[in-house]
Amino acid sequence: SVFLLPSCKKSSSSPAPASSIPANGWKLGTTAYATALSSRITSINELSAFDGIPSGSSPSVNTFNVYFSALPTTGGTYHIVQYPATLAANEIGVSAAIFATSSDYLSTGSDGIDAAVTVTGGKITVVVPSVRVKNTTAGASLQLTGTLVEQ
């Protein structure tokens, strides 16, 4: 008997498999963060996830952020672009901030990757496949992936 096994080659621009995307948290480089709290900031069309509960004028928490041109009311596919920028209706910017090193990482838009957005009961969930983000001060690039679930 002859058994044939199909094979496939994963392109480097393919999004990460869903199983490698944290379900309710994010991963920056090799460090994973679990969401303790999420927040909608309506005035700037932003969703933020925190790995702790912020308190005081200098909260020691790390964040994962998604920026929209307008907060969505229905689900869809959004293209991840360089941020900051003026966003089109179908575009988002993503970022992560690390408290301990005062580092901000912003999406470069160089990956050509889309994020899946769902809205259930008025709450937004954004699934971000692995995308390149760049440190705003040191210029170093890392990969960022995660799922931001509005609470």
Side-chain angles (χ1 to χ4, degrees), residues 54-151:
S55 65
S57 61
S58 182
S60 58
V61 296
N62 303 300
T63 63
F64 173 44
N65 310 288
V66 179
Y67 310 91
F68 295 90
S69 64
L71 290 169
T73 55
T74 59
T77 300
Y78 287 74
H79 192 64
I80 301 169
V81 299
Q82 181 177 353
Y83 191 81
T86 300
L87 299 170
N90 66 337
E91 296 176 335
I92 60 171
V94 297
S95 72
I98 308 304
F99 175 80
T101 58
S102 298
S103 299
D104 291 312
Y105 292 85
L106 302 174
S107 55
T108 65
S110 64
D111 306 283
I113 299 289
D114 292 332
V117 174
T118 56
V119 180
T120 306
K123 301 290 184 178
I124 302 166
T125 297
V126 184
V127 178
V128 177
S130 187
V131 295
R132 184 166 307 286
V133 290
K134 189 170 184 180
N135 185 298
T136 58
T137 54
S141 292
L142 292 173
Q143 292 298 120
L144 172 66
T145 185
T147 302
L148 201 160
V149 179
E150 184 181 11
Q151 298 170 340

Side-chain angles (χ1 to χ4, degrees), residues 17-68:
S19 61
S20 67
I21 302 172
N24 193 13
W26 66 100
K27 185 176 178 183
L28 178 63
T30 58
T31 306
Y33 302 88
T35 299
L37 174 72
S38 65
S39 175
R40 174 189 293 219
I41 306 169
T42 306
S43 61
I44 56 173
N45 299 313
E46 176 184 342
L47 291 180
S48 293
F50 306 88
D51 69 344
I53 306 300
S55 65
S57 61
S58 182
S60 58
V61 296
N62 303 300
T63 63
F64 173 44
N65 310 288
V66 179
Y67 310 91
F68 295 90

